[in-house]
Amino acid sequence: MAEWVYPLGSAADDAWQVSLGAHDSATPVRGWAYTGLKVAELAAGAIIRLEAADEERIVVPLEGTFAATVDGDAYSLRGRASVFAGPSDVLYTGIGKAVEISSTSGGRVAVALAPAKVEYPTRLVRAEETPVELRGAGNCSRQVHNFGTPAALEADRFIVCEVITPAGNWSSYPPHKHDEEKDGETSLEEIYYFETRLAPGSPVGRGSAGDAAGQDPVGYARVYASDARPIDVNAEVRTGDVVLVPYGWHGPAMAAPGYDLYYLNVMAGPGRVRDWLISDDPHHGWIRSTWEGQDIDRRLPFTA
């Protein structure tokens, strides 16, 4: 399990709290080839730079506001108070371009990336342009920000979105896979970057250690084998943790009662088609039929 689960700090590299799968990442991941992620926490006025490389990138403010410069062109990214406050502006940079990111307020920023060859234009996607999808129903309700999906963004290789799951709900469910190139399925690596928080309205007590907050926002992520390739992940996740899905059934991503769960997804693979085509685990796919008689969780959508 260790090679697929990276708790906060375990994949750090200089100023980056997370650096996995990039051309310059110091933490190697055996068998990982198509996606990458960098995450940094910056003080107000701090600057971080990415050199030009054969990677397409999308800059995603997680908390706070940022400015970015791509080959001399400046962009202002209106951020958000947190990942639970609705969509943010994001910036697709294309390939072969140096990127400089500066924090105007202090906060966290993610850069999703994928090795790529075909050039597409730099594009600023404003928060109000982001397609917001409410997926599932009942306790499988979740909110999806589809700013980097094929329908919303022209890009070469990757598919990028973010998902918010209210406390007590299950996301990435029913378990599914995308690890073969065949009719109805595409082969895609997938990165899950997580953040968690105490759900609004939850009572706050004192923890066993006597701390005033007395809380430990936590979620859970599951990945298991779909064929002869072994994989078995059942991980606790908190803010800053990463789970990699090279293949296999994955789901659910579970928001524990009392704690909301966020994750940023980055997917790409070797196939010709840039599309998210999946197969459900046949033991659990039937659950989709139950959503027809249920309402979407009334806590959604999460907005500012």
Side-chain angles (χ1 to χ4, degrees), residues 56 58 92 114 116 118 120 123 146-161 181 185-188 267-277:
E56 59 182 352
I58 190 163
Y92 175 76
V118 180
Y120 287 88
R123 181 185 167 194
N146 289 310
F147 54 78
T149 59
L153 179 70
E154 281 192 315
D156 184 18
R157 303 306 305 167
F158 64 17
I159 298 169
V160 187
C161 66
E181 287 291 326
E185 186 175 335
T186 44
S187 178
L188 301 168
M267 293 176 277
R272 294 183 299 107
V273 179
R274 177 180 169 243
D275 204 355
W276 182 65
L277 302 177

Side-chain angles (χ1 to χ4, degrees), residues 225-236:
S226 61
D227 52 30
R229 293 171 291 181
I231 189 167
D232 186 4
V233 173
N234 192 11
E236 285 189 354

Side-chain angles (χ1 to χ4, degrees), residues 41 46 57 60 129 135 144 155 194 250 261 263 271 285 287 303-304:
E41 181 134 16
R57 299 160 173 158
V60 183
E129 298 177 280
R135 186 179 297 172
V144 187
F194 291 96
H250 47 287
L261 180 70
Y263 52 87
I287 198 68
T303 68

Side-chain angles (χ1 to χ4, degrees), residues 26-51:
T27 302
V29 182
R30 180 171 53 87
W32 199 256
Y34 303 106
T35 58
L37 178 71
K38 288 176 172 281
V39 179
E41 181 134 16
L42 301 179
I47 296 173
I48 201 162
R49 296 177 176 86
L50 292 164
E51 65 185 13

Side-chain angles (χ1 to χ4, degrees), residues 52-57 71 92-98 114-120 156:
D54 291 330
E55 296 172 344
E56 59 182 352
R57 299 160 173 158
D71 276 356
Y92 175 76
T93 71
I95 64 170
K97 297 176 181 178
K117 297 179 181 178
V118 180
E119 183 173 355
Y120 287 88
D156 184 18

Side-chain angles (χ1 to χ4, degrees), residues 17-249:
Q17 291 179 318
V18 176
S19 181
L20 290 166
H23 78 283
D24 59 352
S25 292
T27 302
V29 182
R30 180 171 53 87
W32 199 256
Y34 303 106
T35 58
L37 178 71
K38 288 176 172 281
V39 179
E41 181 134 16
L42 301 179
I47 296 173
I48 201 162
R49 296 177 176 86
L50 292 164
E51 65 185 13
D54 291 330
E55 296 172 344
E56 59 182 352
R57 299 160 173 158
I58 190 163
V59 180
V60 183
L62 300 171
E63 178 181 307
T65 59
F66 295 84
T69 302
V70 181
D71 276 356
D73 294 325
Y75 301 86
S76 176
L77 278 69
R78 297 170 304 169
R80 49 194 169 182
S82 80
V83 294
F84 299 99
S88 169
D89 293 350
V90 301
L91 180 66
Y92 175 76
T93 71
I95 64 170
K97 297 176 181 178
V99 182
E100 180 179 280
I101 303 167
S102 60
S103 172
T104 55
S105 65
R108 283 188 307 285
V109 63
V111 181
L113 60 95
K117 297 179 181 178
V118 180
E119 183 173 355
Y120 287 88
T122 299
R123 181 185 167 194
L124 177 63
V125 181
R126 291 296 189 186
E128 57 269 22
E129 298 177 280
T130 294
V132 177
E133 174 189 2
L134 300 184
R135 186 179 297 172
N139 64 353
C140 291
S141 301
R142 58 270 205 187
Q143 176 173 331
V144 187
H145 300 159
N146 289 310
F147 54 78
T149 59
L153 179 70
E154 281 192 315
D156 184 18
R157 303 306 305 167
F158 64 17
I159 298 169
V160 187
C161 66
E162 52 189 12
V163 181
I164 304 169
T165 308
N169 284 9
W170 284 26
S171 192
S172 288
Y173 196 76
H176 57 280
K177 72 181 184 76
H178 37 73
D179 58 11
E180 295 181 85
E181 287 291 326
K182 64 178 185 180
D183 287 345
E185 186 175 335
T186 44
S187 178
L188 301 168
E189 290 179 346
E190 185 166 8
I191 297 172
Y192 282 70
Y193 165 82
F194 291 96
E195 298 207 4
T196 56
R197 73 164 182 184
L198 182 73
S202 297
V204 179
R206 299 185 69 85
S208 59
D211 59 293
Q215 55 190 281
D216 180 20
V218 64
Y220 297 86
R222 178 78 172 120
V223 188
Y224 57 100
S226 61
D227 52 30
R229 293 171 291 181
I231 189 167
D232 186 4
V233 173
N234 192 11
E236 285 189 354
V237 293
R238 295 171 175 82
T239 294
D241 295 350
V242 175
V243 173
L244 304 181
V245 183
Y247 47 79
W249 305 114

